Amino acid sequence: MSDQIKVGIVGYGNLGRGTIEAIKKCSDMKLVAIFTRRAPESLSINEPNVEVLHISSAEEYKDKIDVMILCGGSATDLPEQGPYFARMFNTIDSYDTHAKIPDYFGMVDEAAKAGGKTSIISVGWDPGLFSVNRLMAEAILPSGETYTFWGKGLSQGHSDAIRRVEGVAGGVQYTVPIEEAVERVKSGENPELTTGEKHRRVCYVVAKEGADRAKIEQDIKTMPNYFADYETEVNFITTEELKENHSKLPHGGFVIRSGKSGEENKQIIEYSLNLDSNPEFTASVLVAYARAAYRLNKEGQAGAKTVFDVAPGYLSPRSAEDLRRDLL
Amino acid sequence: MSDQIKVGIVGYGNLGRGTIEAIKKCSDMKLVAIFTRRAPESLSINEPNVEVLHISSAEEYKDKIDVMILCGGSATDLPEQGPYFARMFNTIDSYDTHAKIPDYFGMVDEAAKAGGKTSIISVGWDPGLFSVNRLMAEAILPSGETYTFWGKGLSQGHSDAIRRVEGVAGGVQYTVPIEEAVERVKSGENPELTTGEKHRRVCYVVAKEGADRAKIEQDIKTMPNYFADYETEVNFITTEELKENHSKLPHGGFVIRSGKSGEENKQIIEYSLNLDSNPEFTASVLVAYARAAYRLNKEGQAGAKTVFDVAPGYLSPRSAEDLRRDLL
């Protein structure tokens, strides 16, 4: 189709690979090129009709790509790439360094407006779909409390922290909601709960030969910020078990708004995700919002946006008439 | 506050009463007047500073009301009131006769555009919040199936049907999701299910003195459209039990999208509501969208809209900066 939305991807990690797959599910979109900081020929990408290029050549694709999906990380990639690409392309990213979102939004907004482009930042499920649900639920039930639970899911940051412990050869960490806390929230009790009272941390660790397991367990459990404030469980496993049972990237979680209407009626709104693959799901969200960015730009709505600024209809390839008839 | 959004209500049934309560929770809104087809003095409304007026005088309030919330029913009230009010006011309604939504949208759109007003139709939870979730989940996971379950909740239409059966003095009907069907869907199996395979119907019936209970039960269970295609349970109770245990209007339900990303990864999105009071919750949704209608109109976006056309940010009284900082 000549009227397909032409998409580019920046970054070829888990998220970039998930984005390739997600675009394949959308007949109204076409992946044109993948941009990387590595030597393009070093990437083994088996996608006919997709160019693999060095990131420095992106500018030449200004007229060949309708929307660029930035798949880099929030720590170092996006603070640089976000504003850089926003000046030349409509962009989508999954920026998630929460405390710095206002600054990041400002930088991207300035760049996008200068270029007449539309950039939707902080897209994914949290921030992203969970944010939309926090906002809508609070607007609908002003009297109440909102709770976000994460998991059961593999936390990349906590897994990295385990692997830095002395004597550890490998390991992963799952964040698990505490069932009792979930039940209290769902009952409408509106308890006050810290993150540590809502979640426990379950670790699967491969110890190096001859390492002191008791010390590893102690080092993990007392690690500040990551584990000290949580109920933490450490299980030692073999390298084979790690590979066999813990190489997927499942995740999920839920947002619950527990509020009251009128004098006393309890009303509970819940949004939940149960994901076999965190990066593939996040990529699927990015791609739907890429469609929205392209359309908003066609309407002349330049600048930085977030999921809060995007009406649901922009996410679907179907016409407004079809949506009203079939999904309303 | 002089910059409060001034709201009017048309219709004083369960939904109208819920709307009065919902507006009280919103400090940025002020209820100005309630319009009724009955004699205004016949209504016992204890709301100081709120006028109670005959519906025929609404036109005089064109400049005194920013948005009118239409709380009438879809069968006869809204087809007439929707277009009538849309010409004079920004409006919100909960029109839910699904097959006629395209026609209704057209009529309201024409009227609203003629008057330069903004009308959001079919607002509530289904249609409404459930519709938003059906759309977003399908756009994010194009490969998959969407399932809507209703209940456990009191169905007004089915309760009315019971009360029309010979020998019945009173009764209510609850729609209850079939747990086994729910579990199959949540497991990612993607079964094909009819509405009858997803729900059962539980009736609580008060028989008239001397009535034939076996015949009542038979008449209910074989009633076409309402009960014949469902697993139906009929329980006989006393008038006192009916009043004591079944006078509330709870409801709820869930929308589940079960899809796949990439080659084989299961991804489940679920949105669920557990409501003590269906009319109060629906009213809370109407009020949040009333805020949006007012704002969209201020931006010059006249005509009929649905929940698909409203970006989440319009629902909240908080500024875009605050929302990005606190909820993203």
Side-chain angles (χ1 to χ4, degrees), chain A residues 98 131 138 261 266 268 270 272 274 276 280 308 313 318 325 327-328, chain B residues 98 131 134 138 261 266 268 270 272 274 276 280 308 313 318 325 328:
Chain A
H98 199 275
S131 319
E138 178 188 281
S261 65
K266 283 184 196 169
I268 310 275
E270 178 180 346
S272 88
N274 185 353
D276 267 5
E280 283 187 3
F308 297 155
R318 300 168 69 181
R325 189 191 60 226
L327 296 182
L328 195 63
Chain B
H98 198 276
S131 319
R134 284 189 287 259
E138 178 188 281
S261 66
K266 282 184 197 170
I268 309 275
E270 178 180 347
S272 88
N274 185 353
D276 267 5
E280 283 186 5
F308 297 156
R318 300 167 70 181
R325 189 191 60 226
L328 195 62

PDB file of all heavy atoms in Angstrom, chain A residues 98 131 138 261 266 268 270 272 274 276 280 308 313 318 325 327-328, chain B residues 98 131 134 138 261 266 268 270 272 274 276 280 308 313 318 325 328:
ATOM      1  N   HIS A  98      11.129   9.071  35.939  1.00  0.00           N
ATOM      2  CA  HIS A  98       9.959   9.839  36.307  1.00  0.00           C
ATOM      3  C   HIS A  98      10.240  11.270  36.748  1.00  0.00           C
ATOM      4  O   HIS A  98       9.596  12.228  36.317  1.00  0.00           O
ATOM      5  CB  HIS A  98       9.143   9.100  37.367  1.00  0.00           C
ATOM      6  CG  HIS A  98       7.773   9.640  37.403  1.00  0.00           C
ATOM      7  ND1 HIS A  98       7.445  10.752  38.142  1.00  0.00           N
ATOM      8  CD2 HIS A  98       6.665   9.297  36.711  1.00  0.00           C
ATOM      9  CE1 HIS A  98       6.188  11.039  37.930  1.00  0.00           C
ATOM     10  NE2 HIS A  98       5.690  10.177  37.062  1.00  0.00           N
ATOM     11  N   SER A 131      -0.683   5.126  33.328  1.00  0.00           N
ATOM     12  CA  SER A 131      -0.882   6.556  33.585  1.00  0.00           C
ATOM     13  C   SER A 131      -2.274   6.989  33.156  1.00  0.00           C
ATOM     14  O   SER A 131      -2.957   7.740  33.865  1.00  0.00           O
ATOM     15  CB  SER A 131       0.165   7.373  32.818  1.00  0.00           C
ATOM     16  OG  SER A 131       1.441   6.766  32.861  1.00  0.00           O
ATOM     17  N   GLU A 138      -9.072   8.672  38.591  1.00  0.00           N
ATOM     18  CA  GLU A 138      -9.104   9.773  39.553  1.00  0.00           C
ATOM     19  C   GLU A 138     -10.119  10.840  39.149  1.00  0.00           C
ATOM     20  O   GLU A 138     -10.824  11.401  39.988  1.00  0.00           O
ATOM     21  CB  GLU A 138      -7.706  10.405  39.672  1.00  0.00           C
ATOM     22  CG  GLU A 138      -7.644  11.580  40.619  1.00  0.00           C
ATOM     23  CD  GLU A 138      -6.297  12.308  40.556  1.00  0.00           C
ATOM     24  OE1 GLU A 138      -5.344  11.798  41.158  1.00  0.00           O
ATOM     25  OE2 GLU A 138      -6.217  13.370  39.897  1.00  0.00           O
ATOM     26  N   SER A 261     -18.750   6.993  45.799  1.00  0.00           N
ATOM     27  CA  SER A 261     -19.652   7.958  45.192  1.00  0.00           C
ATOM     28  C   SER A 261     -20.761   8.219  46.195  1.00  0.00           C
ATOM     29  O   SER A 261     -20.998   7.415  47.097  1.00  0.00           O
ATOM     30  CB  SER A 261     -20.221   7.420  43.880  1.00  0.00           C
ATOM     31  OG  SER A 261     -21.036   6.299  44.125  1.00  0.00           O
ATOM     32  N   LYS A 266     -19.176   2.128  47.567  1.00  0.00           N
ATOM     33  CA  LYS A 266     -17.828   1.793  47.119  1.00  0.00           C
ATOM     34  C   LYS A 266     -17.831   1.514  45.620  1.00  0.00           C
ATOM     35  O   LYS A 266     -18.688   0.790  45.114  1.00  0.00           O
ATOM     36  CB  LYS A 266     -17.330   0.527  47.824  1.00  0.00           C
ATOM     37  CG  LYS A 266     -16.874   0.729  49.234  1.00  0.00           C
ATOM     38  CD  LYS A 266     -16.321  -0.598  49.756  1.00  0.00           C
ATOM     39  CE  LYS A 266     -16.207  -0.577  51.273  1.00  0.00           C
ATOM     40  NZ  LYS A 266     -15.919  -1.923  51.817  1.00  0.00           N
ATOM     41  N   ILE A 268     -15.001   0.361  42.577  1.00  0.00           N
ATOM     42  CA  ILE A 268     -13.629  -0.078  42.313  1.00  0.00           C
ATOM     43  C   ILE A 268     -13.396  -0.161  40.803  1.00  0.00           C
ATOM     44  O   ILE A 268     -14.137  -0.841  40.096  1.00  0.00           O
ATOM     45  CB  ILE A 268     -13.339  -1.470  42.923  1.00  0.00           C
ATOM     46  CG1 ILE A 268     -13.776  -1.533  44.401  1.00  0.00           C
ATOM     47  CG2 ILE A 268     -11.880  -1.860  42.723  1.00  0.00           C
ATOM     48  CD1 ILE A 268     -12.790  -1.041  45.392  1.00  0.00           C
ATOM     49  N   GLU A 270     -10.405  -1.228  38.095  1.00  0.00           N
ATOM     50  CA  GLU A 270      -9.108  -1.911  38.024  1.00  0.00           C
ATOM     51  C   GLU A 270      -8.673  -2.098  36.581  1.00  0.00           C
ATOM     52  O   GLU A 270      -9.470  -2.475  35.727  1.00  0.00           O
ATOM     53  CB  GLU A 270      -9.202  -3.288  38.703  1.00  0.00           C
ATOM     54  CG  GLU A 270      -7.890  -4.048  38.619  1.00  0.00           C
ATOM     55  CD  GLU A 270      -7.938  -5.427  39.280  1.00  0.00           C
ATOM     56  OE1 GLU A 270      -8.888  -5.700  40.027  1.00  0.00           O
ATOM     57  OE2 GLU A 270      -7.022  -6.223  39.026  1.00  0.00           O
ATOM     58  N   SER A 272      -5.578  -4.136  34.544  1.00  0.00           N
ATOM     59  CA  SER A 272      -4.474  -5.049  34.818  1.00  0.00           C
ATOM     60  C   SER A 272      -3.879  -5.624  33.548  1.00  0.00           C
ATOM     61  O   SER A 272      -4.555  -5.782  32.529  1.00  0.00           O
ATOM     62  CB  SER A 272      -4.925  -6.157  35.771  1.00  0.00           C
ATOM     63  OG  SER A 272      -5.473  -7.225  35.064  1.00  0.00           O
ATOM     64  N   ASN A 274      -1.189  -8.765  32.117  1.00  0.00           N
ATOM     65  CA  ASN A 274      -0.509 -10.024  32.386  1.00  0.00           C
ATOM     66  C   ASN A 274       0.262 -10.360  31.115  1.00  0.00           C
ATOM     67  O   ASN A 274      -0.318 -10.819  30.130  1.00  0.00           O
ATOM     68  CB  ASN A 274      -1.566 -11.084  32.717  1.00  0.00           C
ATOM     69  CG  ASN A 274      -0.949 -12.398  33.125  1.00  0.00           C
ATOM     70  OD1 ASN A 274       0.274 -12.576  33.041  1.00  0.00           O
ATOM     71  ND2 ASN A 274      -1.775 -13.336  33.536  1.00  0.00           N
ATOM     72  N   ASP A 276       3.392 -11.950  28.820  1.00  0.00           N
ATOM     73  CA  ASP A 276       4.458 -12.938  28.620  1.00  0.00           C
ATOM     74  C   ASP A 276       5.777 -12.271  28.243  1.00  0.00           C
ATOM     75  O   ASP A 276       6.845 -12.764  28.579  1.00  0.00           O
ATOM     76  CB  ASP A 276       4.080 -13.898  27.483  1.00  0.00           C
ATOM     77  CG  ASP A 276       3.389 -15.145  27.994  1.00  0.00           C
ATOM     78  OD1 ASP A 276       3.123 -15.230  29.204  1.00  0.00           O
ATOM     79  OD2 ASP A 276       3.103 -16.035  27.171  1.00  0.00           O
ATOM     80  N   GLU A 280       7.957  -6.881  24.108  1.00  0.00           N
ATOM     81  CA  GLU A 280       7.051  -6.968  22.960  1.00  0.00           C
ATOM     82  C   GLU A 280       5.752  -6.216  23.213  1.00  0.00           C
ATOM     83  O   GLU A 280       5.186  -5.605  22.306  1.00  0.00           O
ATOM     84  CB  GLU A 280       6.737  -8.437  22.609  1.00  0.00           C
ATOM     85  CG  GLU A 280       7.879  -9.107  21.868  1.00  0.00           C
ATOM     86  CD  GLU A 280       7.528 -10.502  21.376  1.00  0.00           C
ATOM     87  OE1 GLU A 280       6.375 -10.950  21.560  1.00  0.00           O
ATOM     88  OE2 GLU A 280       8.423 -11.161  20.813  1.00  0.00           O
ATOM     89  N   PHE A 308      -1.693  11.422  27.789  1.00  0.00           N
ATOM     90  CA  PHE A 308      -2.840  12.183  28.288  1.00  0.00           C
ATOM     91  C   PHE A 308      -3.474  13.055  27.201  1.00  0.00           C
ATOM     92  O   PHE A 308      -4.613  13.496  27.338  1.00  0.00           O
ATOM     93  CB  PHE A 308      -2.423  13.082  29.455  1.00  0.00           C
ATOM     94  CG  PHE A 308      -1.918  12.341  30.661  1.00  0.00           C
ATOM     95  CD1 PHE A 308      -1.055  12.966  31.553  1.00  0.00           C
ATOM     96  CD2 PHE A 308      -2.307  11.030  30.918  1.00  0.00           C
ATOM     97  CE1 PHE A 308      -0.590  12.295  32.686  1.00  0.00           C
ATOM     98  CE2 PHE A 308      -1.846  10.354  32.046  1.00  0.00           C
ATOM     99  CZ  PHE A 308      -0.980  10.993  32.925  1.00  0.00           C
ATOM    100  N   GLY A 313      -9.383   7.256  19.750  1.00  0.00           N
ATOM    101  CA  GLY A 313      -9.628   7.004  18.335  1.00  0.00           C
ATOM    102  C   GLY A 313      -8.384   7.095  17.461  1.00  0.00           C
ATOM    103  O   GLY A 313      -8.291   6.403  16.436  1.00  0.00           O
ATOM    104  N   ARG A 318      -8.900   1.949  12.304  1.00  0.00           N
ATOM    105  CA  ARG A 318     -10.257   1.937  11.773  1.00  0.00           C
ATOM    106  C   ARG A 318     -10.881   3.339  11.779  1.00  0.00           C
ATOM    107  O   ARG A 318     -10.510   4.193  12.566  1.00  0.00           O
ATOM    108  CB  ARG A 318     -11.095   0.964  12.596  1.00  0.00           C
ATOM    109  CG  ARG A 318     -10.520  -0.448  12.540  1.00  0.00           C
ATOM    110  CD  ARG A 318     -11.143  -1.363  13.554  1.00  0.00           C
ATOM    111  NE  ARG A 318     -12.526  -1.656  13.229  1.00  0.00           N
ATOM    112  CZ  ARG A 318     -13.320  -2.423  13.968  1.00  0.00           C
ATOM    113  NH1 ARG A 318     -12.861  -2.981  15.080  1.00  0.00           N
ATOM    114  NH2 ARG A 318     -14.550  -2.649  13.611  1.00  0.00           N
ATOM    115  N   ARG A 325     -19.704   2.080  15.357  1.00  0.00           N
ATOM    116  CA  ARG A 325     -20.634   0.983  15.067  1.00  0.00           C
ATOM    117  C   ARG A 325     -20.221  -0.308  15.789  1.00  0.00           C
ATOM    118  O   ARG A 325     -21.063  -1.023  16.323  1.00  0.00           O
ATOM    119  CB  ARG A 325     -20.669   0.743  13.554  1.00  0.00           C
ATOM    120  CG  ARG A 325     -21.747  -0.228  13.098  1.00  0.00           C
ATOM    121  CD  ARG A 325     -21.543  -0.601  11.638  1.00  0.00           C
ATOM    122  NE  ARG A 325     -20.224  -1.227  11.471  1.00  0.00           N
ATOM    123  CZ  ARG A 325     -19.350  -0.928  10.500  1.00  0.00           C
ATOM    124  NH1 ARG A 325     -19.637  -0.033   9.595  1.00  0.00           N
ATOM    125  NH2 ARG A 325     -18.175  -1.541  10.451  1.00  0.00           N
ATOM    126  N   LEU A 327     -17.454  -0.874  18.236  1.00  0.00           N
ATOM    127  CA  LEU A 327     -16.789  -0.968  19.547  1.00  0.00           C
ATOM    128  C   LEU A 327     -17.411  -0.113  20.638  1.00  0.00           C
ATOM    129  O   LEU A 327     -17.102  -0.282  21.808  1.00  0.00           O
ATOM    130  CB  LEU A 327     -15.294  -0.615  19.417  1.00  0.00           C
ATOM    131  CG  LEU A 327     -14.455  -1.562  18.562  1.00  0.00           C
ATOM    132  CD1 LEU A 327     -13.007  -1.120  18.565  1.00  0.00           C
ATOM    133  CD2 LEU A 327     -14.550  -3.001  19.066  1.00  0.00           C
ATOM    134  N   LEU A 328     -18.280   0.856  20.230  1.00  0.00           N
ATOM    135  CA  LEU A 328     -18.852   1.728  21.254  1.00  0.00           C
ATOM    136  C   LEU A 328     -19.856   0.946  22.096  1.00  0.00           C
ATOM    137  O   LEU A 328     -19.797   0.970  23.308  1.00  0.00           O
ATOM    138  CB  LEU A 328     -19.536   2.938  20.607  1.00  0.00           C
ATOM    139  CG  LEU A 328     -19.869   4.100  21.553  1.00  0.00           C
ATOM    140  CD1 LEU A 328     -18.631   4.708  22.161  1.00  0.00           C
ATOM    141  CD2 LEU A 328     -20.643   5.191  20.805  1.00  0.00           C
TER     142      LEU A 328
ATOM    143  N   HIS B  98     -27.624   0.298  21.153  1.00  0.00           N
ATOM    144  CA  HIS B  98     -26.424   0.172  20.357  1.00  0.00           C
ATOM    145  C   HIS B  98     -26.651   0.250  18.855  1.00  0.00           C
ATOM    146  O   HIS B  98     -25.945   0.960  18.125  1.00  0.00           O
ATOM    147  CB  HIS B  98     -25.678  -1.111  20.709  1.00  0.00           C
ATOM    148  CG  HIS B  98     -24.287  -1.037  20.236  1.00  0.00           C
ATOM    149  ND1 HIS B  98     -23.922  -1.359  18.948  1.00  0.00           N
ATOM    150  CD2 HIS B  98     -23.176  -0.567  20.839  1.00  0.00           C
ATOM    151  CE1 HIS B  98     -22.644  -1.132  18.793  1.00  0.00           C
ATOM    152  NE2 HIS B  98     -22.161  -0.649  19.920  1.00  0.00           N
ATOM    153  N   SER B 131     -15.964   0.777  26.210  1.00  0.00           N
ATOM    154  CA  SER B 131     -15.705   1.013  24.786  1.00  0.00           C
ATOM    155  C   SER B 131     -14.275   1.496  24.574  1.00  0.00           C
ATOM    156  O   SER B 131     -13.572   1.047  23.659  1.00  0.00           O
ATOM    157  CB  SER B 131     -16.683   2.056  24.241  1.00  0.00           C
ATOM    158  OG  SER B 131     -17.987   1.875  24.746  1.00  0.00           O
ATOM    159  N   ARG B 134     -12.065  -1.467  24.923  1.00  0.00           N
ATOM    160  CA  ARG B 134     -12.124  -2.350  23.742  1.00  0.00           C
ATOM    161  C   ARG B 134     -11.277  -1.768  22.614  1.00  0.00           C
ATOM    162  O   ARG B 134     -10.488  -2.476  21.981  1.00  0.00           O
ATOM    163  CB  ARG B 134     -13.583  -2.512  23.282  1.00  0.00           C
ATOM    164  CG  ARG B 134     -14.400  -3.450  24.161  1.00  0.00           C
ATOM    165  CD  ARG B 134     -15.777  -3.756  23.561  1.00  0.00           C
ATOM    166  NE  ARG B 134     -16.705  -2.643  23.653  1.00  0.00           N
ATOM    167  CZ  ARG B 134     -17.679  -2.535  24.569  1.00  0.00           C
ATOM    168  NH1 ARG B 134     -17.847  -3.487  25.489  1.00  0.00           N
ATOM    169  NH2 ARG B 134     -18.487  -1.501  24.560  1.00  0.00           N
ATOM    170  N   GLU B 138      -7.613  -3.391  21.376  1.00  0.00           N
ATOM    171  CA  GLU B 138      -7.553  -3.930  20.018  1.00  0.00           C
ATOM    172  C   GLU B 138      -6.463  -3.238  19.197  1.00  0.00           C
ATOM    173  O   GLU B 138      -5.760  -3.875  18.411  1.00  0.00           O
ATOM    174  CB  GLU B 138      -8.919  -3.747  19.330  1.00  0.00           C
ATOM    175  CG  GLU B 138      -8.953  -4.238  17.902  1.00  0.00           C
ATOM    176  CD  GLU B 138     -10.258  -3.853  17.197  1.00  0.00           C
ATOM    177  OE1 GLU B 138     -11.266  -4.529  17.438  1.00  0.00           O
ATOM    178  OE2 GLU B 138     -10.254  -2.872  16.410  1.00  0.00           O
ATOM    179  N   SER B 261       1.688 -11.256  20.826  1.00  0.00           N
ATOM    180  CA  SER B 261       2.668 -10.399  20.165  1.00  0.00           C
ATOM    181  C   SER B 261       3.750 -11.318  19.622  1.00  0.00           C
ATOM    182  O   SER B 261       3.905 -12.450  20.081  1.00  0.00           O
ATOM    183  CB  SER B 261       3.257  -9.393  21.148  1.00  0.00           C
ATOM    184  OG  SER B 261       4.008 -10.055  22.144  1.00  0.00           O
ATOM    185  N   LYS B 266       1.811 -14.606  24.807  1.00  0.00           N
ATOM    186  CA  LYS B 266       0.465 -14.224  25.228  1.00  0.00           C
ATOM    187  C   LYS B 266       0.504 -12.918  26.008  1.00  0.00           C
ATOM    188  O   LYS B 266       1.334 -12.747  26.904  1.00  0.00           O
ATOM    189  CB  LYS B 266      -0.126 -15.301  26.151  1.00  0.00           C
ATOM    190  CG  LYS B 266      -0.644 -16.524  25.449  1.00  0.00           C
ATOM    191  CD  LYS B 266      -1.293 -17.451  26.478  1.00  0.00           C
ATOM    192  CE  LYS B 266      -1.453 -18.845  25.930  1.00  0.00           C
ATOM    193  NZ  LYS B 266      -1.857 -19.797  26.982  1.00  0.00           N
ATOM    194  N   ILE B 268      -2.272 -10.313  28.039  1.00  0.00           N
ATOM    195  CA  ILE B 268      -3.661 -10.146  28.472  1.00  0.00           C
ATOM    196  C   ILE B 268      -3.853  -8.749  29.068  1.00  0.00           C
ATOM    197  O   ILE B 268      -3.133  -8.345  29.983  1.00  0.00           O
ATOM    198  CB  ILE B 268      -4.047 -11.184  29.556  1.00  0.00           C
ATOM    199  CG1 ILE B 268      -3.686 -12.613  29.118  1.00  0.00           C
ATOM    200  CG2 ILE B 268      -5.530 -11.046  29.920  1.00  0.00           C
ATOM    201  CD1 ILE B 268      -4.685 -13.317  28.274  1.00  0.00           C
ATOM    202  N   GLU B 270      -6.791  -6.408  30.892  1.00  0.00           N
ATOM    203  CA  GLU B 270      -8.116  -6.513  31.506  1.00  0.00           C
ATOM    204  C   GLU B 270      -8.507  -5.199  32.167  1.00  0.00           C
ATOM    205  O   GLU B 270      -7.701  -4.561  32.847  1.00  0.00           O
ATOM    206  CB  GLU B 270      -8.125  -7.625  32.556  1.00  0.00           C
ATOM    207  CG  GLU B 270      -9.472  -7.738  33.253  1.00  0.00           C
ATOM    208  CD  GLU B 270      -9.530  -8.834  34.321  1.00  0.00           C
ATOM    209  OE1 GLU B 270      -8.609  -9.673  34.370  1.00  0.00           O
ATOM    210  OE2 GLU B 270     -10.485  -8.823  35.106  1.00  0.00           O
ATOM    211  N   SER B 272     -11.628  -3.826  34.654  1.00  0.00           N
ATOM    212  CA  SER B 272     -12.793  -4.330  35.377  1.00  0.00           C
ATOM    213  C   SER B 272     -13.371  -3.304  36.342  1.00  0.00           C
ATOM    214  O   SER B 272     -12.662  -2.440  36.870  1.00  0.00           O
ATOM    215  CB  SER B 272     -12.447  -5.630  36.105  1.00  0.00           C
ATOM    216  OG  SER B 272     -11.925  -5.367  37.376  1.00  0.00           O
ATOM    217  N   ASN B 274     -16.156  -2.890  39.677  1.00  0.00           N
ATOM    218  CA  ASN B 274     -16.907  -3.541  40.740  1.00  0.00           C
ATOM    219  C   ASN B 274     -17.650  -2.423  41.477  1.00  0.00           C
ATOM    220  O   ASN B 274     -17.070  -1.694  42.268  1.00  0.00           O
ATOM    221  CB  ASN B 274     -15.928  -4.271  41.667  1.00  0.00           C
ATOM    222  CG  ASN B 274     -16.638  -5.077  42.725  1.00  0.00           C
ATOM    223  OD1 ASN B 274     -17.867  -5.007  42.865  1.00  0.00           O
ATOM    224  ND2 ASN B 274     -15.875  -5.830  43.493  1.00  0.00           N
ATOM    225  N   ASP B 276     -20.776  -0.646  43.645  1.00  0.00           N
ATOM    226  CA  ASP B 276     -21.891  -0.737  44.599  1.00  0.00           C
ATOM    227  C   ASP B 276     -23.145  -0.088  44.038  1.00  0.00           C
ATOM    228  O   ASP B 276     -24.261  -0.513  44.324  1.00  0.00           O
ATOM    229  CB  ASP B 276     -21.528  -0.008  45.909  1.00  0.00           C
ATOM    230  CG  ASP B 276     -20.916  -0.947  46.930  1.00  0.00           C
ATOM    231  OD1 ASP B 276     -20.697  -2.125  46.594  1.00  0.00           O
ATOM    232  OD2 ASP B 276     -20.662  -0.490  48.054  1.00  0.00           O
ATOM    233  N   GLU B 280     -24.892   5.755  40.339  1.00  0.00           N
ATOM    234  CA  GLU B 280     -23.942   6.756  40.842  1.00  0.00           C
ATOM    235  C   GLU B 280     -22.616   6.712  40.089  1.00  0.00           C
ATOM    236  O   GLU B 280     -21.988   7.742  39.854  1.00  0.00           O
ATOM    237  CB  GLU B 280     -23.698   6.569  42.352  1.00  0.00           C
ATOM    238  CG  GLU B 280     -24.844   7.104  43.199  1.00  0.00           C
ATOM    239  CD  GLU B 280     -24.545   7.056  44.689  1.00  0.00           C
ATOM    240  OE1 GLU B 280     -23.416   6.688  45.084  1.00  0.00           O
ATOM    241  OE2 GLU B 280     -25.450   7.377  45.473  1.00  0.00           O
ATOM    242  N   PHE B 308     -14.435   8.065  22.255  1.00  0.00           N
ATOM    243  CA  PHE B 308     -13.262   7.801  21.417  1.00  0.00           C
ATOM    244  C   PHE B 308     -12.545   9.085  20.999  1.00  0.00           C
ATOM    245  O   PHE B 308     -11.384   9.047  20.590  1.00  0.00           O
ATOM    246  CB  PHE B 308     -13.674   7.041  20.151  1.00  0.00           C
ATOM    247  CG  PHE B 308     -14.261   5.681  20.410  1.00  0.00           C
ATOM    248  CD1 PHE B 308     -15.120   5.091  19.481  1.00  0.00           C
ATOM    249  CD2 PHE B 308     -13.960   4.974  21.564  1.00  0.00           C
ATOM    250  CE1 PHE B 308     -15.658   3.831  19.710  1.00  0.00           C
ATOM    251  CE2 PHE B 308     -14.495   3.717  21.807  1.00  0.00           C
ATOM    252  CZ  PHE B 308     -15.347   3.149  20.873  1.00  0.00           C
ATOM    253  N   GLY B 313      -6.683  13.762  29.235  1.00  0.00           N
ATOM    254  CA  GLY B 313      -6.395  14.990  29.968  1.00  0.00           C
ATOM    255  C   GLY B 313      -7.598  15.915  30.145  1.00  0.00           C
ATOM    256  O   GLY B 313      -7.676  16.646  31.133  1.00  0.00           O
ATOM    257  N   ARG B 318      -7.168  18.944  36.753  1.00  0.00           N
ATOM    258  CA  ARG B 318      -5.786  19.370  37.001  1.00  0.00           C
ATOM    259  C   ARG B 318      -5.095  19.815  35.712  1.00  0.00           C
ATOM    260  O   ARG B 318      -5.447  19.377  34.617  1.00  0.00           O
ATOM    261  CB  ARG B 318      -5.031  18.224  37.668  1.00  0.00           C
ATOM    262  CG  ARG B 318      -5.675  17.840  38.998  1.00  0.00           C
ATOM    263  CD  ARG B 318      -5.145  16.521  39.529  1.00  0.00           C
ATOM    264  NE  ARG B 318      -3.765  16.656  39.971  1.00  0.00           N
ATOM    265  CZ  ARG B 318      -3.067  15.650  40.463  1.00  0.00           C
ATOM    266  NH1 ARG B 318      -3.608  14.452  40.560  1.00  0.00           N
ATOM    267  NH2 ARG B 318      -1.819  15.838  40.842  1.00  0.00           N
ATOM    268  N   ARG B 325       3.513  15.567  35.977  1.00  0.00           N
ATOM    269  CA  ARG B 325       4.400  15.420  37.134  1.00  0.00           C
ATOM    270  C   ARG B 325       3.898  14.320  38.077  1.00  0.00           C
ATOM    271  O   ARG B 325       4.681  13.525  38.596  1.00  0.00           O
ATOM    272  CB  ARG B 325       4.486  16.743  37.890  1.00  0.00           C
ATOM    273  CG  ARG B 325       5.535  16.791  38.982  1.00  0.00           C
ATOM    274  CD  ARG B 325       5.353  18.037  39.836  1.00  0.00           C
ATOM    275  NE  ARG B 325       4.032  18.019  40.454  1.00  0.00           N
ATOM    276  CZ  ARG B 325       3.209  19.076  40.487  1.00  0.00           C
ATOM    277  NH1 ARG B 325       3.561  20.230  39.973  1.00  0.00           N
ATOM    278  NH2 ARG B 325       2.009  18.964  41.041  1.00  0.00           N
ATOM    279  N   LEU B 328       1.847  10.634  35.403  1.00  0.00           N
ATOM    280  CA  LEU B 328       2.431   9.945  34.252  1.00  0.00           C
ATOM    281  C   LEU B 328       3.364   8.832  34.725  1.00  0.00           C
ATOM    282  O   LEU B 328       3.282   7.711  34.288  1.00  0.00           O
ATOM    283  CB  LEU B 328       3.196  10.937  33.365  1.00  0.00           C
ATOM    284  CG  LEU B 328       3.544  10.431  31.962  1.00  0.00           C
ATOM    285  CD1 LEU B 328       2.323  10.125  31.147  1.00  0.00           C
ATOM    286  CD2 LEU B 328       4.398  11.466  31.215  1.00  0.00           C
TER     287      LEU B 328
END
